[in-house]
Amino acid sequence: MIELLAQTGLNAVYAASYISLVAVGLVLIFGVMGVINFAHGELFMAGAYVVVALYAQRFVPFFIAVAAGLVFVGLLGLLMERALFRPLRDNPLGGLVASIGFLMILQALAVMGFGVRMEYIPPVTQEVIAFSDKVRLPISRLYVIIAAVVMLSLLWYFLKRTRFGWALRASAQDPQAAALQGISVTLTAKIAMFIGAGFAGLAGALTAPLVSVNPYMGHSIIVTAFIVIIVGGVGSLEGAVLASIVYAFVHTFVTTFYDGVIADITGLMLMLIVLIVKPTGLFGSADRA
Amino acid sequence: MFIWTVIAAILFALPNLLSFSQQEVLVFLTINILVVASYRLLTLTGEWSLGHVVIMGVGAYASAMLTKSSGLYVPLGIVMGGVVAGLTALALSYPLFRMKGFYFLIGSFAAGEIIRLLWKRFREPFGGTKGIKGIDPMPDFSVGFYDFDFFEPTSYFYFSAIVVAICLWILWRIEKSPIGLTFQAVHWQDKLAQASGVNLRAYRTLAFVIASGFAGIAGALLAHYIGTINPNSFDVEVMVFVLTWAIVGGTSTFYGPILGCVVLTILNEVVLRELGLEQTRPLIYGLILILSILFMPNGLESIVQKFTRQKERRSLRPEEAK
Amino acid sequence: AGETIKIGFLAPLTGPVSAWGKPGLDGCTIWAERVNAEGGIKLEDGEHKIEFVAYDNEYDPAKARTGATKLIREDGVSFVMMLGGDTWPGVQPVADRTGMLFSTLLPSDLSPDTTTLVAPTEVHPIYIVTGVQWLAENRPELKTAVMCAQDDALGLPSVATYLAAFEAAGIEMQDDPLLFDPATTDFAPVVTRLLSSNPDIVCLDTCYSDYVHPICTQLFLQGFKGQIISATADFYDQMIAKTSKEFMEGFIFQFPDFDDPALNAEHINFPDANGFYTEYNKRYPGQWGAVSWEYASIMELWKLAAEKAGSVDPEAVLAAMQEGGKGQHAFGEASWWGEELFGIDHALVGDWPVVMIEDGKARIKAFVSIPDWYDQHGDLLIKYMTKYDQMWSQRS
Amino acid sequence: MTSLLEVKDLTMRFGGLTAVDTLNFKVEKGTIHGLIGPNGAGKTTTFNMISGFYTPSAGEVLLRGENIAGLPMHEVARRGVVRTFQHSTLFAELTVLENALVGTHMPFRPNLFAAIFGWDKDARNGAEARAREALTFFGLADVGHEHAGDLSHGHQRALGMAVAYASHPDIVLLDEPFTGMNPEETKHMMGLMKQLCSDGITILLVEHDMQAIMGLCDNITCMSFGKFLAEGGPAEIRNHPAVIEAYLGGARHVA
Amino acid sequence: MLLEMRDINVNYGKISAIRNISINVPEGQIVTIIGGNGAGKTTSLRAMSGMLPLKSGEIHFEGKRIDGMAPHKIVAHGIAHVPEGRRIFPDMTVEENLRTGAFLRKDKAKVENDLKDVFERFPRLHERRRQRAQTMSGGEQQMLAIGRALMSDPRILLMDEPSMGLAPVIVEEIAVIVEEINARGLSVVLVEQNAVLALELANYAYVLESGNMALEGPASELHDNEHVRAAYLGL
Ligand SMILES: Nc1ncnc2c1ncn2[C@@H]1O[C@H](COP(=O)(O)OP(=O)(O)OP(=O)(O)O)[C@@H](O)[C@H]1O
Ligand SMILES: Nc1ncnc2c1ncn2[C@@H]1O[C@H](COP(=O)(O)OP(=O)(O)OP(=O)(O)O)[C@@H](O)[C@H]1O
Ligand SMILES: [Mg+2]
Ligand SMILES: [Mg+2]
């Protein structure tokens, strides 16, 4: 039983890692651009396909492919910023529709480029850290955990310790006033889109060898990410991370001890309960709704 | 009055000008018009729900189950579908209207997902993932000069067009009434509305319940036509389409969302299919969404408005000349 | 030659379910080219070429209905092939009204209400009993099993069938079947749960390859050493690459590669299976799966029947297809069967191959008779099907 | 005799901060009552408690002797207490007439079924008449069809009052209605308020414009740091040493 | 000339808001713009700090042409703007708001010093430095907006109705501040409804009327102008 708990705990830590990477990106984009990026799941998918294209099909070393995934998807983020969100800055509903359109395009491009079938990605490593016969942490999952911890720490440092964090918060709250303080709102938006999208791409790229990569894989991750950022409080990065951890543990443990469908219902109920008790999420403030 | 007669005549003639599969599309289009139009009523209060299609599903399930299990007469079942959907919305309004804006958007999505998971989980009575099959069709009948055969899309189009027209009329009456005005007041300045004595919670709930009721009717209409429903028929992808119809159509007029629904459906289901673009359809549809929102940020309705305003001006000029 | 004969292909071609449609259409295209190259189909009034008309139903019943109407009333097809499932009930009224002949991959669509729907290839999930029976006979030391399945229309009937098969084989289930959400992507928790009771056998049910691959990878990484059985193992070579040859050795499933020499046998009704496989892999490398040949094999059955009937009239073809209660199934002559489960004898059931991975390659180990199993253990199957609400009379 | 409005020991705490501290004052019917005090004295907070936007931490708000503290805002409004907001808060996207029609919500409560079937002709006509009356009262009759957001600043202010007026209030709470107005407009606005008052409506006014306060108010309450400081007529307040010290200063730049 | 606007035209969509406006701000002077509601005062200021695109005209700052630059670049030249409606950052604390004002500055020690300065001028801000700006009272927010602009150590300060919503004592304080920073060599552009105050403080004044320049001249002269007295001073 202890072993089962320990293994489930490890599974949950992994889940929390990639969920928080995706959720934090979504929050960052929402915070700065003021739009809900429906295409975020497809950015995750795009990251995975970069690994397919480079690592699985062209034998580029895995970590280079992952870095390329981060950069490529980050650039997609910049493209969205320039082509969609900037022209639609005062039109959040328009931004929503545009991101839905972008989602459809990305999906269709993936289908056209790679087909609808699940993609094969050779394993990066088959090594496993065996704590005991029944408690095992595959190295490939450890990579994801490490990446999440490192990237989130870097982001945290970047936001708290550099002026960018100020710029980000200020432009999220009032872009015009931020510009009057000498903050380049466009630059801030670009950085936020690059990081936000890049994190989704990174998560997709890193987990690509562990999941079934197909053009529609973005759907389930974005549903999870939505739940997580709502529970955390929209706009709060700390909230997103905390909620990812809570959600991942609840979902993983319920899956293991009951079943997967109950776990989904539990996750959603958790969210509704949090919202009934605190309608702005764990860390949200009332006025940003 | 004359214009309405003309429209009625056109609608009557319309199916006879179409191919069979286009007639089928026409039926679904008619039903979807009710879905977006009811959605608009909710958005009048400024809240955008992602659960509207699931609520529509509640109507479909309710009507399908009532007619199937207790042999309720189908038209009554359709009405009951609306009632059950409205009551469901009433129950949901308690948790949901503690939230606003983005929270409401995602909260309504979660509530919808829970309902869908319940359908999936409980094979008794909801039929699980396969849903409900063999739903009673509308019983055929004859009105003397016309025999309704509800297998035929044309017949079902006439039937649903009448139902939808009545619903639209009611929705329109509501929007143009002091209640509709209050909804808008709640949207634009909820505090000021409250200071004028408006009970925000009550009005938000009212809009949600009415919109849901009509969505339920639309769902029931759909169920009795296709004869089957399942949880996936009401998933978020369908919702995304409703959302894009409403926004691409435009949010400032009653007809905007309807226009969006008609134009986008025709583009997607008729034009792109006719062009033989079966597999690139999603790509092109996505492009259309983006381009239309970039170049018509105020929706398709803004084109119509420009057109009609020009007309107004033209008709004004002679008077000015006098 | 006479007028070209049109066949409707009404399946999801875009969207998440398209993997169940698109490869089938590709297979059919190859099949049609081969048939047309030989002059086409020979009817009373001479030879006719065959052409497929596809309609993307996006796995949506309403669009399927529209598509069926278009194919039948506008394109004038003589036969419509479908994936079935969610989309069939939408099409059913059209079928009833037009009398068009339809085929589905999923026999759970069958019911006595519609007499023009047949399920002539994959009698899902009944064929999976053959794998369990073969396993019990050949590896009697395996005593305990666990099972997982996605909670959907394919998962549940197959859970019921596997439960019946395991009980029939005297293998003990150590845990209730674990159901997971079809949207699941991370299978570590599922596998952890499965392995917590130290089973001899892990049964993957009718999981799609999107699930089979990550589950197997997880089984491998979490140190499982026992037997795996699954309905499908599409792209098993990739699974081997992701785990190891040793790990996958002995993996049992039910869908052969068509280069298997056993398919050259006399009783096989799929013409030149090996050549078809080669051609398919040439055009769509790495895409071969169960769906790739199933639609084509239905076409073969239909073609034989149409040639026998001398016409493509749906009624005549159906009659010819079912003459004597026997039909030419891909894996040999089979019987029209299913009254008890589906309310109508419209599923074509005969021998089904048990496939095992040996030295990194799928090999047909045996053809096992489904009707024989059913004669002995039918009551078990009905018991579990009833428990999971899968009997035709239970379907709402 | 009970006053129209009375606050008794009204207190509001935000965390450790006491923004309003056991405040007491009375507003008599038919008067214009000023509430002044330095920035952050707690005037807006007091308004928020009276109008039901905040629930007081302690104390009572008595309307004709009935305690209305803690009631939701719309309930307070229905009892005749209507507020306007700092800055011009209007339904900018609606027309001027529609703005006023929203104001008639209380006297002519809409009914769903009547509205659908058109049985509410009388109510609609009544509401429209009242709305037009309010617009005319504030000199907005000519701009009824324009969007409220397109109006000039002064007109927007007038419209804010017209919306309140349309709802037949007993007492209106005005929070800094004169900000951003030049002396000319201030004079005009003062005229409007006097009209309101002569129409029997009691006014509670928060304002930093001393020209307006002194010119309008019958009675002035001055508060500072959440507490009551002084009360009296304009002359009294103008010369009250504590008020001068805390609030008026040398009044070098004030009219 | 420190700041020079030449023949500026600005449109909102198709509607013209100001027409052919020229304003000069000499080094070390206080210039005021007065005018009725909607006259175009705010629009003029917004044009100066780059928040609105020009339809035509030029703006020079210290001889460099700055029109067409992004606002954050213009700010970097030393132009600070107290915007109409305060525009504080609602979710930041008072102190964070003030520090955002010093976003571009690198001289840490001096920033701390300026912060102390602002806190001294507005003790209320010091007292509430950890309070979320949004929950501050109207007048407190106005103080914060002024303090934030001062934190950028500007060469020129554009103030849009700084006395709005402030108690008479604080209005006096604002007047003192303007005089003091001006004495330190800063130029100020003051937009005010309180024309009495503005004309008293300013060296030079412009009068806008519905988007056009109606009058200009030394403040003391305008103070005695009949038209100005009647229309803007309420005398
Ligand atoms: N939600 C809150 N949380 C913390 N402090 C608050 C909150 N709301 C108001 N305050 C504080 O309470 C005090 C009173 O504020 P209030 O808005 O009532 O002042 P006011 O008298 O209206 O001032 P002004 O004339 O500047 O508008 C202020 O110091 C303010 O900072
Ligand atoms: N965002 C906007 N969109 C459209 N028109 C605007 C906008 N802002 C201002 N205007 C118009 O431009 C003109 C000038 O406005 P501006 O705000 O510059 O006046 P102002 O002199 O600052 O007035 P106030 O004293 O009311 O602040 C007015 O007619 C106004 O209606
Ligand atoms: Mg105040
Ligand atoms: Mg202004």
Side-chain angles (χ1 to χ4, degrees):
Chain A
M1 192 61 194
I2 293 288
E3 288 190 320
L4 183 59
L5 287 175
Q7 179 65 50
T8 309
L10 285 179
N11 294 341
V13 170
Y14 162 79
S17 302
Y18 76 87
I19 294 174
S20 55
L21 276 178
V22 176
V24 160
L26 192 58
V27 168
L28 206 58
I29 292 175
F30 178 74
V32 178
M33 313 304 297
V35 292
I36 309 160
N37 181 18
F38 261 72
H40 209 66
E42 277 56 39
L43 295 177
F44 176 82
M45 179 270 287
Y49 271 98
V50 171
V51 167
V52 171
L54 295 183
Y55 169 67
Q57 297 182 351
R58 290 199 184 66
F59 312 108
V60 174
F62 180 66
F63 287 104
I64 295 181
V66 169
L70 191 157
V71 173
F72 174 74
V73 178
L75 292 176
L76 279 182
L78 290 186
L79 174 71
M80 292 180 80
E81 193 276 334
R82 181 67 199 88
L84 307 180
F85 296 156
R86 203 185 304 171
L88 294 169
R89 186 167 278 162
D90 304 319
N91 186 352
L93 285 176
L96 189 97
V97 168
S99 75
I100 291 173
F102 198 71
L103 166 171
M104 293 179 166
I105 293 175
L106 282 182
Q107 267 184 6
L109 288 178
V111 171
M112 286 157 72
F114 297 89
V116 293
R117 278 273 163 98
M118 172 189 102
E119 291 296 327
Y120 167 64
I121 296 170
V124 183
T125 162
Q126 298 200 327
E127 268 172 66
V128 167
I129 305 176
F131 297 98
S132 83
D133 197 35
K134 289 244 145 161
V135 184
R136 302 163 137 251
L137 179 62
I139 299 286
S140 47
R141 300 182 137 233
L142 185 62
Y143 290 153
V144 180
I145 299 172
I146 293 173
V149 171
V150 169
M151 295 311 279
L152 292 174
S153 311
L154 282 179
L155 180 67
W156 187 82
Y157 183 84
F158 186 52
L159 291 180
K160 295 282 146 160
R161 290 295 137 86
T162 69
R163 291 163 1 122
F164 175 71
W166 285 94
L168 200 96
R169 290 172 63 202
S171 17
Q173 290 172 36
D174 188 335
Q176 284 203 356
L180 283 182
Q181 314 310 317
I183 294 166
S184 166
V185 180
T186 313
L187 182 66
T188 315
K190 281 185 193 158
I191 296 178
M193 281 303 293
F194 184 84
I195 298 180
F199 272 25
L202 174 70
L206 272 174
T207 53
L210 300 167
V211 300
S212 304
V213 175
N214 68 54
Y216 305 102
M217 67 191 288
H219 184 74
S220 69
I221 186 80
I222 194 153
V223 171
T224 311
F226 276 160
I227 296 175
V228 159
I229 67 172
I230 282 283
V231 170
V234 181
S236 159
L237 295 168
E238 296 90 338
V241 174
L242 181 74
S244 299
I245 296 172
V246 171
Y247 181 85
F249 272 80
V250 169
H251 196 273
T252 308
F253 273 84
V254 176
T255 303
T256 305
F257 289 94
Y258 295 92
D259 76 40
V261 183
I262 302 276
D264 287 347
I265 297 185
T266 316
L268 289 167
M269 291 303 264
L270 176 82
M271 169 182 147
L272 274 190
I273 289 166
V274 167
L275 287 184
I276 289 171
V277 176
K278 192 162 183 299
T280 52
L282 296 175
F283 282 69
S285 71
D287 333 281
R288 299 285 311 282
Chain B
M1 205 57 230
F2 172 71
I3 183 95
W4 292 112
T5 323
V6 173
I7 289 178
I10 291 175
L11 286 180
F12 185 76
L14 187 59
N16 304 307
L17 308 172
L18 301 176
S19 74
F20 291 112
S21 58
Q22 286 166 351
Q23 291 171 0
E24 298 273 354
V25 173
L26 184 64
V27 172
F28 299 125
L29 181 60
T30 310
I31 295 171
N32 284 336
I33 284 175
L34 182 53
V35 179
V36 270
S38 62
Y39 191 53
R40 169 172 171 76
L41 191 81
L42 174 60
T43 62
L44 273 188
T45 64
E47 299 300 349
W48 290 76
S49 156
L50 284 183
H52 199 65
V53 162
V54 177
I55 295 280
M56 166 189 177
V58 169
Y61 268 87
S63 179
M65 284 157 56
L66 286 171
T67 49
K68 237 185 138 147
S69 64
S70 57
L72 192 68
Y73 182 52
V74 172
L76 277 181
I78 293 175
V79 173
M80 283 310 293
V83 171
V84 173
L87 291 176
T88 309
L90 188 63
L92 286 180
S93 68
Y94 171 71
L96 288 184
F97 282 118
R98 298 174 58 85
M99 312 164 199
K100 271 170 65 179
F102 186 51
Y103 287 93
F104 178 82
L105 188 86
I106 304 292
S108 59
F109 170 69
E113 284 301 293
I114 291 177
I115 293 179
R116 277 186 352 104
L117 282 170
L118 294 177
W119 290 338
K120 284 189 189 172
R121 190 68 194 176
F122 293 100
R123 291 195 292 276
E124 191 55 47
F126 301 120
T129 35
K130 282 195 196 166
I132 301 178
K133 301 178 188 178
I135 300 167
D136 302 3
M138 240 334 254
D140 297 346
F141 64 87
S142 169
V143 286
F145 62 93
Y146 189 85
D147 294 329
F148 280 94
D149 167 2
F150 288 110
F151 168 76
E152 288 295 333
T154 309
S155 286
Y156 206 79
F157 165 69
Y158 290 146
F159 169 66
S160 53
I162 290 168
V163 175
V164 169
I166 294 171
C167 294
L168 289 185
W169 180 78
I170 295 175
L171 284 167
W172 188 75
R173 292 285 299 183
I174 295 175
E175 180 169 334
K176 295 292 161 203
S177 77
I179 295 193
L181 182 64
T182 312
F183 288 157
Q184 301 204 25
V186 168
H187 175 188
W188 296 116
Q189 274 297 340
D190 53 353
K191 290 205 188 109
L192 180 56
Q194 229 177 341
S196 307
V198 175
N199 184 342
L200 290 186
R201 188 74 178 262
Y203 273 85
R204 287 209 172 103
T205 304
L206 183 68
F208 189 42
V209 169
I210 298 175
S212 300
F214 286 107
I217 290 178
L221 279 175
L222 186 72
H224 291 287
Y225 185 59
I226 324 177
T228 179
I229 46 175
N230 66 63
N232 289 337
S233 322
F234 306 104
D235 69 3
V236 69
E237 266 150 54
V238 185
M239 185 65 228
V240 160
F241 274 90
V242 176
L243 196 67
T244 53
W245 291 333
I247 299 174
V248 169
T251 49
S252 68
T253 61
F254 183 75
Y255 60 79
I258 298 177
L259 197 63
C261 175
V262 172
V263 171
L264 288 180
T265 305
I266 291 177
L267 274 176
N268 192 28
E269 290 297 328
V270 181
V271 177
L272 291 185
R273 279 195 198 262
E274 290 296 322
L275 290 175
L277 298 169
E278 282 293 291
Q279 303 199 15
T280 41
R281 240 160 15 96
L283 180 86
I284 298 172
Y285 190 79
L287 272 177
I288 292 173
L289 287 186
I290 290 180
L291 294 179
S292 70
I293 207 72
L294 282 179
F295 294 104
M296 286 181 293
N298 295 321
L300 292 165
E301 67 191 13
S302 58
I303 301 179
V304 180
Q305 281 173 331
K306 224 181 256 169
F307 190 64
T308 49
R309 266 196 214 124
Q310 268 171 2
K311 258 205 209 147
E312 265 167 35
R313 249 184 249 130
R314 262 187 232 124
S315 60
L316 270 178
R317 248 176 231 137
E319 277 175 40
E320 279 165 7
K322 281 177 217 164
Chain C
E3 218 178 299
T4 305
I5 288 168
K6 292 181 177 166
I7 306 292
F9 191 92
L10 182 58
L13 298 175
T14 61
V17 196
S18 53
W20 291 82
K22 183 72 178 47
L25 182 60
D26 296 340
C28 284
T29 313
I30 297 177
W31 180 88
E33 282 171 17
R34 302 178 135 224
V35 170
N36 289 342
E38 287 170 14
I41 171 172
K42 296 163 193 63
L43 303 178
E44 265 172 8
D45 56 351
E47 292 191 333
H48 297 261
K49 302 264 192 251
I50 289 189
E51 180 192 324
F52 284 94
V53 188
Y55 192 96
D56 174 17
N57 66 27
E58 298 171 34
Y59 206 55
D60 176 74
K63 292 191 174 158
R65 179 188 164 112
T66 309
T69 304
K70 173 172 177 292
L71 292 172
I72 297 169
R73 288 178 148 187
E74 290 164 30
D75 298 325
V77 300
S78 306
F79 173 47
V80 180
M81 285 197 292
M82 292 182 64
L83 166 63
D86 285 358
T87 51
W88 166 252
V91 173
Q92 187 181 352
V94 183
D96 292 344
R97 189 59 84 98
T98 57
M100 174 53 63
L101 180 60
F102 281 82
S103 75
T104 173
L105 291 194
L106 306 173
S108 51
D109 294 335
L110 296 175
S111 86
D113 301 337
T114 309
T115 51
T116 54
L117 176 72
V118 291
T121 33
E122 184 190 308
V123 184
H124 177 90
I126 316 300
Y127 60 81
I128 59 187
V129 301
T130 60
V132 178
Q133 183 180 336
W134 187 89
L135 191 65
E137 282 166 8
N138 291 279
R139 302 214 34 206
E141 70 279 12
L142 303 175
K143 288 281 168 244
T144 57
V146 291
M147 182 193 312
C148 69
Q150 75 280 12
D151 188 7
D152 73 1
L154 281 190
L156 292 178
S158 118
V159 163
T161 311
Y162 267 119
L163 287 174
F166 280 125
E167 187 170 330
I171 294 170
E172 182 199 348
M173 293 301 299
Q174 289 193 310
D175 209 342
D176 285 340
L178 174 61
L179 297 179
F180 57 83
D181 177 26
T184 308
T185 51
D186 176 17
F187 285 92
V190 170
V191 167
T192 300
R193 164 66 178 267
L194 289 178
L195 295 187
S196 65
S197 53
N198 291 314
D200 296 335
I201 302 171
V202 169
C203 170
L204 302 192
D205 209 274
T206 309
C207 286
Y208 317 132
S209 41
D210 301 43
Y211 310 142
V212 175
H213 285 225
I215 291 176
C216 282
T217 314
Q218 277 305 317
L219 284 169
F220 172 71
L221 291 172
Q222 294 195 22
F224 181 62
K225 304 239 160 37
Q227 172 73 43
I228 307 174
I229 182 167
S230 166
T232 64
D234 287 358
F235 324 120
Y236 60 84
D237 50 325
Q238 300 176 4
M239 266 193 281
I240 294 173
K242 284 204 150 187
T243 58
S244 72
K245 214 161 147 185
E246 298 72 50
F247 176 78
M248 291 297 289
E249 190 71 16
F251 187 109
I252 290 184
F253 63 111
Q254 315 271 186
F255 288 89
D257 285 346
F258 269 32
D259 59 352
D260 200 304
L263 293 179
N264 296 331
E266 189 55 32
H267 66 278
I268 298 297
N269 287 317
F270 198 96
D272 185 20
N274 295 173
F276 180 82
Y277 182 77
T278 314
E279 180 65 25
Y280 190 95
N281 272 319
K282 202 167 85 199
R283 284 198 213 177
Y284 312 103
Q287 301 283 310
W288 177 265
V291 179
S292 305
W293 60 265
E294 286 184 332
Y295 292 96
S297 95
I298 296 176
M299 279 316 297
E300 190 62 31
L301 175 76
W302 180 84
K303 173 171 164 269
L304 292 178
E307 289 182 340
K308 196 197 277 179
S311 104
V312 291
D313 174 58
E315 213 175 313
V317 174
L318 180 61
M321 211 182 254
Q322 298 196 319
E323 205 176 279
K326 298 282 178 201
Q328 308 305 318
H329 188 276
F331 299 128
E333 193 174 74
S335 329
W336 290 99
W337 169 92
E339 171 96 49
E340 284 179 343
L341 285 181
F342 311 124
I344 188 168
D345 280 337
H346 271 204
L348 190 57
V349 173
D351 287 351
W352 193 272
V354 176
V355 185
M356 189 164 99
I357 296 180
E358 273 180 332
D359 197 21
K361 178 72 189 153
R363 284 281 168 253
I364 296 179
K365 296 304 290 180
F367 284 98
V368 178
S369 161
I370 302 172
D372 287 354
W373 183 93
Y374 189 79
D375 286 344
Q376 285 178 41
H377 305 293
D379 49 335
L380 281 177
L381 185 60
I382 286 173
K383 175 178 105 185
Y384 281 109
M385 284 292 200
T386 311
K387 180 170 169 207
Y388 280 87
D389 303 329
Q390 298 297 321
M391 299 295 289
W392 72 271
S393 51
Q394 287 173 312
R395 283 186 243 132
S396 36
Chain D
M1 190 200 118
T2 55
S3 314
L4 178 61
L5 181 77
E6 178 177 1
V7 303
K8 250 194 195 160
D9 297 334
L10 201 59
T11 302
M12 185 78 211
R13 282 183 286 268
F14 298 109
L17 174 84
T18 307
V20 176
D21 196 355
T22 51
L23 183 70
N24 289 287
F25 66 86
K26 287 181 184 174
V27 180
E28 301 302 335
K29 186 165 169 25
T31 63
I32 300 183
H33 192 110
L35 182 62
I36 60 172
N39 295 116
K43 306 177 294 293
T44 302
T45 308
T46 304
F47 263 33
N48 282 339
M49 288 188 282
I50 297 175
S51 65
F53 192 64
Y54 287 161
T55 301
S57 309
E60 292 178 341
V61 178
L62 301 174
L63 181 71
R64 297 183 208 90
E66 178 202 10
N67 186 6
I68 57 167
L71 288 181
M73 214 156 128
H74 61 95
E75 284 296 336
V76 174
R78 284 175 193 181
R79 283 168 172 72
V81 183
V82 170
R83 68 176 292 183
T84 66
F85 291 83
Q86 228 165 341
H87 316 299
S88 5
T89 300
L90 287 171
F91 307 111
E93 289 77 2
L94 303 184
T95 66
V96 169
L97 181 61
E98 284 170 335
N99 269 270
L101 281 172
V102 177
T104 65
H105 181 82
M106 287 189 286
F108 301 94
R109 282 271 275 288
N111 174 304
L112 183 62
F113 290 98
I116 294 172
F117 297 108
W119 298 330
D120 58 350
K121 285 253 160 53
D122 290 349
R124 285 199 207 194
N125 291 339
E128 185 165 339
R130 175 67 188 167
R132 289 195 187 283
E133 183 188 338
L135 293 183
T136 312
F137 193 91
F138 288 98
L140 295 167
D142 301 337
V143 292
H145 57 276
E146 280 185 40
H147 279 250
D150 296 344
L151 288 185
S152 72
H153 207 74
H155 274 164
Q156 290 195 355
R157 285 300 162 88
L159 179 56
M161 304 242 282
V163 172
Y165 178 74
S167 63
H168 282 301
D170 297 325
I171 176 165
V172 278
L173 315 180
L174 302 172
D175 197 353
E176 303 195 28
F178 295 96
T179 41
M181 288 195 177
N182 60 29
E184 191 70 10
E185 290 166 326
T186 302
K187 264 190 206 148
H188 181 68
M189 186 60 131
M190 285 167 70
L192 293 182
M193 283 187 203
K194 284 189 184 136
Q195 273 187 47
L196 262 187
C197 192
S198 65
D199 209 49
I201 296 170
T202 309
I203 295 175
L204 179 57
L205 174 68
V206 165
E207 185 50 62
H208 292 297
D209 184 331
M210 286 304 109
Q211 187 194 354
I213 284 282
M214 300 300 171
L216 278 174
C217 295
D218 302 300
N219 217 341
I220 301 170
T221 303
C222 180
M223 58 191 295
S224 177
F225 290 103
K227 290 202 178 73
F228 177 87
L229 187 69
E231 182 165 312
E236 234 172 301
I237 287 294
R238 202 196 310 262
N239 299 312
H240 195 293
V243 176
I244 293 176
E245 147 98 50
Y247 182 64
L248 292 174
R252 153 170 94 131
H253 304 293
V254 203
Chain E
M1 205 53 62
L2 184 65
L3 182 79
E4 207 177 338
M5 277 178 99
R6 291 189 206 137
D7 290 329
I8 299 294
N9 282 277
V10 173
N11 281 16
Y12 288 105
K14 291 203 176 94
I15 302 154
S16 149
I18 52 174
R19 288 172 291 280
N20 300 324
I21 301 294
S22 300
I23 292 174
N24 293 321
V25 186
E27 182 96 44
Q29 294 225 338
I30 303 176
V31 167
T32 185
I33 308 172
I34 56 179
N37 283 124
K41 309 182 292 295
T42 300
T43 306
S44 305
L45 286 198
R46 287 162 62 89
M48 287 182 201
S49 58
M51 289 168 76
L52 287 174
L54 306 184
K55 192 174 159 231
S56 67
E58 290 179 13
I59 305 177
H60 295 261
F61 184 68
E62 294 182 311
K64 274 187 296 267
R65 195 163 164 183
I66 58 167
D67 55 271
M69 275 189 196
H72 67 272
K73 296 235 172 75
I74 294 180
V75 175
H77 282 87
I79 299 181
H81 188 161
V82 181
E84 189 177 48
R86 296 155 195 160
R87 307 301 284 265
I88 48 153
F89 299 111
D91 275 343
M92 291 189 182
T93 65
V94 168
E95 184 171 334
E96 285 171 339
N97 262 282
L98 291 175
R99 287 189 184 278
T100 315
F103 184 77
L104 290 176
R105 292 173 64 182
K106 305 260 183 317
D107 45 345
K108 282 216 173 110
K110 193 140 179 307
V111 170
E112 293 307 313
N113 206 40
D114 284 2
L115 185 66
K116 237 175 72 201
D117 238 40
V118 171
F119 279 151
E120 251 161 46
R121 287 190 186 290
F122 302 110
R124 179 47 70 91
L125 296 186
H126 184 248
E127 197 183 303
R128 300 291 171 77
R129 61 184 180 281
R130 308 221 185 290
Q131 187 170 329
R132 260 180 63 220
Q134 181 164 57
T135 62
M136 299 287 278
S137 87
E140 290 165 348
Q141 291 185 15
Q142 184 68 25
M143 297 176 208
L144 182 56
I146 296 169
R148 184 179 64 185
L150 292 176
M151 285 299 292
S152 69
D153 190 23
R155 307 262 295 111
I156 183 170
L157 186 60
L158 316 179
M159 302 177 97
D160 202 340
E161 308 206 25
S163 74
M164 183 189 267
L166 291 179
V169 261
I170 307 290
V171 175
E172 273 179 45
E173 173 67 19
I174 299 291
V176 172
I177 292 175
V178 169
E179 280 167 347
E180 271 183 28
I181 57 174
N182 178 243
R184 277 195 258 143
L186 239 84
S187 303
V188 178
V189 180
L190 188 61
V191 162
E192 260 300 340
Q193 289 287 0
N194 190 339
V196 184
L197 173 72
L199 290 177
E200 192 180 314
L201 288 171
N203 305 97
Y204 199 84
Y206 294 88
V207 180
L208 284 182
E209 268 166 21
S210 39
N212 298 310
M213 188 62 77
L215 270 175
E216 65 176 280
S220 50
E221 262 176 42
L222 288 193
H223 192 272
D224 300 329
N225 179 298
E226 269 312 309
H227 173 68
V228 172
R229 290 175 75 83
Y232 302 109
L233 301 181
L235 300 171

